[in-house]
Amino acid sequence: MPTLKIDGLDVTVDAGTSVLEAARFLGLEIPTLCHEDGLEAYGGCRLCVVEVGQGDKSRLVSSCTYPAEDGLAVRTNTKRVARTRKMLIELLVSLVPSSKVLQDLAAKFGAQKSRFKPKHEDCILCGLCVRMCKEQMMSGAIEFVGRGQKRRITTPFDKKSELCRTCGGCMYICPVCTLRCQGPNAPTTVCGSCLTLEPTCIDHYDDYMCYLGPTGVCGTCVSEKKHKGGESGGDKELCHTANTTQQQRR
Amino acid sequence: MPATKLKNLKDLVKEQARIAKEREAYSHVVTISSGTCGLAKGSGEFVDAMKAAVKALGLGKRVLIKSTGCHGFCDIEPVVHIAPQGIVYQKVAPENAKEILSETVLRNNVLEKLLYTDPQTGQKARLAREIPFYKSQRRLLTKANAEVDPESLPDYIANGGYQALAKAVGELDPEKVIAEVKKSRLRGRGGAGFPTGFKWEFCRRAKGDVKYVICNADEGDPGAYMDRSLLEGNPHATLEGMAIGAFAIGASEGYIYVRHEYPMAVRNIRKAVEDARAAGLLGKNILGGKFSFDVHIERGAGAFVCGEETALISSVEGKRGEPRQRPPFPAVRGLWGKPTNINNVETWSSIPVVINKGGDWFARIGTESSGGTKIFSLVGKVAHTGLVEVPIGTTLREIIYDIGGGIKGDGEFKAVQTGGPSGGCLPRSMLDLPVDYDTLAKAGSIMGSGGMIVMDESTCMVDLAKYFLNFLRDESCGKCLSCREGTDRLHEIVARICDGKGTEEDLPLLEELALVVKDASMCGLGQTAPNPVLSTLRYFRKEYEAHIKEKRCPAGVCKALIKYSIDGGKCIGCAVCAKQCPVDAISGEFKKPHAIDADRCIRCGVCVDACKPKAILVA
């Protein structure tokens, strides 16, 4: 069992524990975006950086992926860590300015303005949905494709995946989705549509998979359903289905 | 090919002597450089012409024609070397084949017109060692490229090949091999410069029944071709090094991860593996002993990041080529979760030299902290481009001026970029810096895998930083936010400065962001990606300031900041420029000075190239 020092406190943890877990065990706060208990550590958002080592040889590592090693000296809140974290948040906010999660982070860590031109993307490529789909939903319908600026998350060949059960797990876990379904009590156009989604939009736009973006944002699938369900109560019916499906799950 | 499988060092020495005796029948050996670069310059046609000429003159039993890999001096390709005289002919063409045979081979006359002339002294050089480019080099690894036919195992054996492996397996034990490599102070030639002996020791000590060795031949730096040249020209040396490494570490399987864009290297290494296997130098019970080792070849699909060891391992496993956290290091958990040792082509190729000559001998060549030689690909605005092998610790000045012949044309040296796209740019004041892993790092650059790009006054350092950032933002795997978004934003800012839209706040922001990208990224790509920006900011800050404050590009490169005009005193009114201008921006009466309409001009530079009296001004 390795014993390490985090912010001056000695802690002994099981072998295989990450520095992040060890720090959280001590009650130390380290922000994360791409980390979720129950999913494999990824180390993509870099928000959880901590400083390991001393003097000239000290360096920043992502605590979620770094193993707790015997004798390791970790500092979670040095100037260097704070400076780096603030800049990372600045980069994130300029990437998806509309995200409340990111705005809250920015407020908390003092990133008061972003000096970069906003990109208005809707994904920070944290990969949580990919791991959720693969590791918890046992599906593996989505993956990263491309690299660098062309990196994105999609199904193989951008076609509807037979592995996808439209469970909505990807959206549940997404930290920046702005139109995420809020549950059965929110009767909006997108309520529950993740659960009953008939992606008719694919008939119209054969490479657009709307449940991968903010659900129902184009509205096609929802309105199709409404049309089929009769003149009135389209939305209600949708919500009802959503209700029962969710109740069944519970 | 030996009839029976080779059993030990004695067999190899015997085989070497047998081949040498066989070769005694030939009075002359004509060697033609036929690497990818040589072939591009027509060495293939020359080899055919030579063979036809040998046949026509009935010299088949006296003259041996040999195609070898790259000899290193790109400017004078295709090169012919004639033994035993040692005469070197440059830029040969198929029509020279007959006269070379009838004059030089039969009558021992030197064909003056084919000799290399030193542009500085005007002297003709007959032998390789008289050519300044070769004179100051120490060619430990690249020498064999000019002697060995890469497709012939007997040729490699005749050159003393596989004797190091036989010595290691037959006379040394793994611990002794590692001790020898440690003594040699050989450091990883892929860029990070980790001491090879220690790396092997970690892997040997790691727990595990199955271990692997990997050869990293995923050389992706623009303008660098050391590993390609070694793998094309002398593949058996890499194989021999890998086998010795596998013996030392306790591995029985190896992988060579080579770029698909290197078809000749892939072909030659494949043949080398098959030949070595047939001769009992690879496969089960190597040299009749207990040690078994075999090699697989994996082709990379051309991602720069796959040169990073954990990404490479991931790619070999059939997954996305993405780096992962180290520790655990590959020496503990590598390919398929087993202890793995990765070295690059140049490192593996150095191993037979270390074992043959001894670690102490090898260590004496380099500096105190780093032994042996390093190959650089010297390119850019330098008089002689090519592969340069020098002892570690040689100064930049010696490499660029003594070997490279200084700056091409009448330009002035401005900077040299070492270490590939994520290396740094060093100015004139650093010319006397001894090239070593530590000295380069201190100066803000890296050794990298050995790219060396020389620049003169016509290069804009801001534009250069933009170029490399553009490469890196494309090649970043995109996993780490700091690298993916960071390099993109760095590029955005630098591009803005080049466009003349930079503000005074941009420089501190550039520095702040560059440090975060360097600090926060997971792998070597992200950690070194800001080097082009940081080093140019460190040494050429004035150029950035000129772009921002004066809206001026001192090198005359950034299109938004330059203006073309015509010097009325020089213009002879020939109208050639006006005819070639793609946007009709130049007008004037025939035989009278012309003028450029600045609003129309797209600053393409066609007029500059077209103007004979050099009347076009760029400022």
Side-chain angles (χ1 to χ4, degrees):
Chain A
M1 295 222 298
T3 300
L4 61 160
K5 209 184 252 305
I6 305 180
D7 291 347
L9 301 168
D10 283 319
V11 58
T12 306
V13 290
D14 290 336
T17 309
S18 69
V19 169
L20 177 71
E21 286 162 336
R24 285 190 173 166
F25 174 76
L26 286 176
L28 298 167
E29 201 188 339
I30 296 176
T32 56
L33 263 179
C34 73
H35 180 82
E36 199 64 55
D37 288 337
L39 297 180
E40 200 189 330
Y42 178 64
C45 76
R46 313 307 289 169
L47 277 190
C48 69
V49 284
V50 293
E51 199 166 345
V52 298
Q54 298 289 343
D56 284 352
K57 286 195 170 159
S58 79
R59 59 200 177 101
L60 296 188
V61 299
S62 50
S63 58
C64 66
T65 53
Y66 205 89
E69 292 171 324
D70 209 35
L72 193 70
V74 181
R75 285 169 293 162
T76 68
N77 216 351
T78 60
K79 263 188 190 160
R80 192 172 167 193
V81 169
R83 189 185 61 206
T84 305
R85 205 168 269 163
K86 198 169 150 187
M87 176 61 88
L88 290 170
I89 293 172
E90 206 176 318
L91 286 172
L92 281 167
V93 169
S94 57
L95 186 63
V96 188
S98 57
S99 161
K100 186 173 183 307
V101 174
L102 298 184
Q103 287 165 6
D104 289 351
L105 268 173
K108 190 165 176 184
F109 289 93
Q112 282 163 341
K113 64 170 188 179
S114 175
R115 288 165 286 180
F116 308 107
K117 210 174 136 199
K119 285 190 180 175
H120 298 292
E121 296 282 342
D122 44 23
C123 176
I124 54 166
L125 297 170
C126 68
L128 276 173
C129 54
V130 173
R131 281 171 285 149
M132 182 73 166
C133 186
K134 193 168 7 190
E135 295 166 23
Q136 290 295 334
M137 299 309 175
M138 306 298 163
S139 170
I142 47 175
E143 241 308 349
F144 288 106
V145 297
R147 64 167 183 258
Q149 289 298 304
K150 296 194 186 94
R151 189 180 176 95
R152 60 201 176 93
I153 295 168
T154 183
T155 53
F157 310 108
D158 292 335
K159 294 276 187 280
K160 179 178 160 42
S161 167
E162 284 172 12
L163 294 175
C164 176
R165 306 188 296 270
T166 60
C167 69
C170 46
M171 279 177 292
Y172 168 79
I173 201 85
C174 179
V176 295
C177 264
T178 44
L179 281 170
R180 191 195 305 157
C181 174
Q182 300 296 313
N185 298 323
T188 63
T189 44
V190 292
C191 164
S193 54
C194 53
L195 302 171
T196 53
L197 184 72
E198 276 187 8
T200 48
C201 50
I202 286 177
D203 299 336
H204 301 277
Y205 316 99
D206 61 359
D207 60 353
Y208 184 66
M209 308 193 52
C210 90
Y211 51 87
L212 290 179
T215 310
V217 78
C218 73
T220 341
C221 51
V222 180
S223 55
E224 285 279 330
K225 193 89 180 176
K226 200 174 184 177
H227 180 70
K228 278 180 201 161
E231 282 158 24
S232 63
D235 269 343
K236 263 185 201 163
E237 195 186 338
L238 245 178
C239 288
H240 175 70
T241 330
N243 270 325
T244 41
T245 323
Q246 290 222 339
Q247 275 158 10
Q248 276 164 6
R249 279 196 186 172
R250 287 189 200 124
Chain B
M1 186 62 50
T4 50
K5 287 199 173 185
L6 300 157
K7 290 267 189 257
N8 50 38
L9 186 56
K10 240 193 215 159
D11 280 2
L12 271 163
V13 176
K14 246 192 256 169
E15 180 68 11
Q16 185 187 12
R18 189 188 66 79
I19 298 166
K21 191 136 202 225
E22 226 175 69
R23 298 263 165 96
E24 274 173 20
Y26 297 106
S27 63
H28 289 82
V29 182
V30 178
T31 312
I32 301 136
S33 67
S34 311
T36 299
C37 37
L39 287 175
K41 283 210 173 175
S43 71
E45 289 83 1
F46 182 77
V47 172
D48 292 343
M50 206 67 185
K51 280 183 179 160
V54 165
K55 220 175 176 184
L57 292 169
L59 293 171
K61 285 192 177 154
R62 285 182 56 192
V63 178
L64 179 66
I65 306 284
K66 214 193 259 189
S67 306
T68 64
C70 161
H71 293 198
F73 196 175
C74 300
D75 282 349
I76 61 168
E77 296 274 357
V79 181
V80 171
H81 180 264
I82 298 153
Q85 299 102 311
I87 293 170
V88 173
Y89 287 145
Q90 60 147 354
K91 295 182 184 164
V92 291
E95 56 267 25
N96 300 130
K98 256 196 183 138
E99 50 182 343
I100 289 176
L101 283 175
S102 59
E103 290 298 320
T104 309
V105 171
L106 291 177
R107 297 200 183 85
N108 212 6
N109 292 334
V110 178
L111 296 165
E112 293 279 330
K113 60 173 180 180
L114 292 178
L115 289 178
Y116 173 77
T117 315
D118 183 358
Q120 273 159 347
T121 60
Q123 269 182 340
K124 299 227 176 225
R126 288 165 51 131
L127 311 175
R129 62 167 183 274
E130 290 170 0
I131 298 175
F133 180 81
Y134 290 118
K135 201 161 42 184
S136 313
Q137 293 193 44
R138 182 82 192 260
R139 295 167 71 86
L140 284 189
L141 307 182
T142 43
K143 189 166 167 271
N145 262 29
E147 293 167 353
V148 175
D149 176 356
E151 295 184 45
S152 158
L153 174 60
D155 230 39
Y156 184 62
I157 291 177
N159 207 40
Y162 286 108
Q163 293 187 7
L165 175 64
K167 189 175 163 192
V169 176
E171 295 171 10
L172 305 173
D173 56 36
E175 299 289 349
K176 275 187 191 151
V177 172
I178 290 176
E180 210 57 49
V181 177
K182 268 184 175 174
K183 255 196 264 171
S184 75
R185 294 204 288 266
L186 171 65
R187 291 173 69 174
R189 299 292 190 241
F194 195 83
T196 308
F198 288 93
K199 198 169 181 177
W200 287 16
E201 193 171 46
F202 292 142
C203 196
R204 175 163 181 81
R205 287 193 186 153
K207 279 181 208 153
D209 45 346
V210 179
K211 290 176 187 177
Y212 295 102
V213 292
I214 295 180
C215 171
N216 183 348
D218 192 63
E219 182 178 54
D221 298 4
Y225 45 97
M226 295 76 52
D227 290 352
R228 189 196 75 204
S229 179
L230 286 176
L231 217 50
E232 278 177 2
N234 196 8
H236 282 288
T238 307
L239 275 186
E240 187 179 358
M242 284 180 79
I244 296 168
F247 174 72
I249 288 155
S252 57
E253 251 181 292
Y255 285 83
I256 296 174
Y257 188 85
V258 52
R259 303 184 68 181
H260 183 60
E261 294 96 321
Y262 286 179
M264 191 181 197
V266 174
R267 198 184 69 212
N268 288 0
I269 190 74
R270 227 179 230 159
K271 179 154 192 331
V273 168
E274 282 164 19
D275 289 350
R277 223 179 259 157
L281 296 163
L282 267 189
K284 280 211 168 113
N285 306 97
I286 288 175
L287 290 158
K290 283 180 192 160
F291 171 55
S292 299
F293 173 66
D294 213 337
V295 168
H296 309 276
I297 294 162
E298 284 289 334
R299 282 171 304 161
F304 182 66
V305 73
C306 284
E308 199 279 340
E309 58 179 8
T310 56
L312 188 152
I313 288 175
S314 183
S315 177
V316 172
E317 288 172 348
K319 299 177 191 151
R320 281 175 64 80
E322 251 167 44
R324 63 152 177 80
Q325 177 73 51
R326 295 180 309 173
F329 287 93
V332 179
R333 262 182 72 87
L335 185 63
W336 321 113
K338 308 288 184 192
T340 303
N341 183 76
I342 301 193
N343 284 121
N344 84 332
V345 175
E346 201 180 331
T347 317
W348 287 123
S349 302
S350 302
I351 298 298
V353 182
V354 171
I355 300 297
N356 276 329
K357 303 261 186 176
D360 289 327
W361 181 89
F362 193 85
R364 273 200 297 275
I365 294 174
T367 62
E368 234 169 66
S369 61
S370 175
T373 56
K374 174 83 192 83
I375 309 175
F376 295 98
S377 65
L378 186 63
V379 296
K381 301 278 174 58
V382 66
H384 311 316
T385 57
L387 286 187
V388 174
E389 185 175 356
V390 287
I392 287 183
T394 306
T395 63
L396 286 167
R397 190 184 296 279
E398 285 171 270
I399 297 175
I400 297 166
Y401 284 90
D402 297 352
I403 299 171
I407 300 299
K408 201 181 216 162
D410 42 11
E412 281 272 316
F413 175 88
K414 185 174 190 180
V416 56
Q417 211 249 5
T418 70
S422 47
C425 297
L426 304 175
R428 173 181 279 278
S429 60
M430 306 295 270
L431 268 176
D432 289 310
L433 186 83
V435 179
D436 193 357
Y437 297 92
D438 312 319
T439 52
L440 282 176
K442 238 180 245 163
S445 185
I446 52 170
M447 178 81 105
S449 59
M452 203 172 263
I453 304 170
V454 179
M455 288 159 279
D456 66 5
E457 296 293 344
S458 67
T459 309
C460 166
M461 303 316 278
V462 188
D463 182 66
L464 181 90
K466 184 177 88 170
Y467 170 82
F468 284 120
L469 282 170
N470 190 38
F471 176 85
L472 290 162
R473 100 190 153 124
D474 262 2
E475 292 295 342
S476 158
C477 79
K479 178 174 177 170
C480 294
L481 173 88
S482 49
C483 179
R484 185 186 70 239
E485 282 305 311
T487 52
D488 188 51
R489 294 302 191 173
L490 285 175
H491 177 263
E492 185 182 279
I493 299 168
V494 173
R496 185 159 72 212
I497 296 174
C498 285
D499 278 347
K501 291 173 188 152
T503 59
E504 303 221 2
E505 289 91 61
D506 279 345
L507 289 189
L509 178 62
L510 209 52
E511 268 167 338
E512 194 184 331
L513 178 59
L515 284 177
V516 168
V517 176
K518 203 178 173 81
D519 249 5
S521 302
M522 187 184 272
C523 83
L525 195 157
Q527 285 162 6
T528 56
N531 279 345
V533 179
L534 286 172
S535 68
T536 47
L537 268 176
R538 180 167 159 188
Y539 297 116
F540 300 94
R541 200 182 182 93
K542 281 202 177 122
E543 238 176 285
Y544 280 88
E545 285 168 353
H547 281 73
I548 293 172
K549 290 182 193 157
E550 302 161 32
K551 304 289 173 206
R552 185 173 69 84
C553 174
V557 173
C558 297
K559 283 191 179 174
L561 300 177
I562 51 173
K563 248 190 191 159
Y564 283 67
S565 57
I566 292 177
D567 182 348
K570 279 187 183 171
C571 180
I572 52 169
C574 66
V576 169
C577 56
K579 258 181 218 157
Q580 297 209 3
C581 178
V583 287
D584 292 332
I586 306 178
S587 56
E589 269 179 64
F590 192 59
K591 294 205 172 169
K592 280 184 185 164
H594 281 50
I596 298 179
D597 180 353
D599 292 338
R600 271 198 178 177
C601 174
I602 55 167
R603 302 167 191 96
C604 64
V606 164
C607 51
V608 179
D609 297 337
C611 183
K612 283 230 174 92
K614 298 200 169 146
I616 313 272
L617 303 172
V618 183

